[in-house]
Amino acid sequence: MSKRKEDLRSIRTKTHLSKALLTLIDENKHKFEAITVNMICEEAMVHRTTFYKYFEDKYHLLNCCVENMQQKFEQYTSVEHLVKPFQCMIGAWDYKFALTILECLESSKYFKISFENRMKDMLYNDLCLMEENGTSLPIPKEILVQIVGNAISGLAAWWIKNNNQKITAEAMDGYYKAVINTSLFER
């Protein structure tokens, strides 16, 4: 019974810390780099030692937030991920959160490697599922992961950095389709 209570308390504390970070990001008062662990703890009303009980640093907390957002992204099918990735992104992530991810990709090598590996794993899994469902891929999966991953990453970075939401996700998917032959995935 006490184990169960502890688990619920841990979940609640992690949730409060995640919400605090997202609130600080959403308020747009500070860029991610300027946000401190103390600010997160103050917003969550959690002691700093409690923060370090669950997270190594603010990047680890952000990574956990990304994992939670990825669960929303995974509500879409493998084909949707590969054919309309930008509509999936906007359906799963808040625009300001996406800006924060980009900022962290540029400033933290650890976060960049972690994020890119997560994306490549997801793309690889999507391609494996498609093959299991009878789609024949004319290019090895490992090569497709690199090509598609780089196209999505590059376009997403440009879009988030320069767009201010003037170009729709549908339009970005159109540009992506002009670069990537998405008919490979729609069979």
Side-chain angles (χ1 to χ4, degrees), residues 63-183:
N63 214 21
C64 290
C65 291
V66 170
E67 286 173 14
N68 292 335
M69 295 287 187
Q70 187 174 353
Q71 290 174 355
K72 291 180 184 178
F73 188 76
E74 289 172 355
Q75 72 186 349
Y76 298 97
T77 67
S78 298
V79 173
E80 288 173 316
H81 291 162
L82 293 162
V83 174
K84 54 180 188 173
F86 294 93
Q87 291 175 67
C88 293
M89 279 183 224
I90 288 299
W93 295 352
D94 171 83
Y95 188 78
K96 287 181 184 177
F97 187 71
L99 283 172
T100 298
I101 291 170
L102 179 65
E103 177 188 337
C104 294
L105 290 173
E106 292 176 351
S107 64
S108 169
K109 187 175 183 175
Y110 160 78
F111 186 77
K112 182 176 184 173
I113 291 168
S114 172
F115 189 81
E116 287 174 354
N117 287 340
R118 181 183 292 116
M119 188 172 111
K120 287 177 182 177
D121 287 346
M122 186 192 68
L123 288 171
Y124 187 82
N125 291 336
D126 285 343
L127 293 169
C128 287
L129 278 171
M130 293 178 74
E131 281 187 327
E132 287 172 15
N133 291 327
T135 301
S136 176
L137 300 170
I139 301 169
K141 288 186 294 277
E142 295 78 10
I143 295 172
L144 278 174
V145 165
Q146 292 300 314
I147 294 168
V148 171
N150 290 338
I152 292 171
S153 296
L155 286 168
W158 178 88
W159 186 43
I160 291 166
K161 202 171 192 177
N162 298 297
N163 183 37
N164 291 329
Q165 296 178 315
K166 293 175 188 166
I167 300 174
T168 65
E170 292 83 3
M172 287 303 296
D173 283 332
Y175 300 141
Y176 165 75
K177 286 180 181 183
V179 175
I180 300 294
N181 179 7
T182 59
S183 67

Side-chain angles (χ1 to χ4, degrees), residues 6-18:
E6 189 175 277
D7 290 345
L8 291 174
R9 193 176 319 139
S10 296
I11 291 168
R12 187 179 71 223
T13 302
K14 289 177 183 178
T15 300
H16 284 308
L17 289 166
S18 296

Side-chain angles (χ1 to χ4, degrees), residues 49-75:
T49 55
T50 303
F51 177 93
Y52 286 111
K53 179 179 177 182
Y54 298 108
F55 302 104
E56 296 169 18
D57 55 22
K58 67 182 184 177
Y59 289 101
H60 184 206
L61 172 58
L62 181 64
N63 214 21
C64 290
C65 291
V66 170
E67 286 173 14
N68 292 335
M69 295 287 187
Q70 187 174 353
Q71 290 174 355
K72 291 180 184 178
F73 188 76
E74 289 172 355
Q75 72 186 349

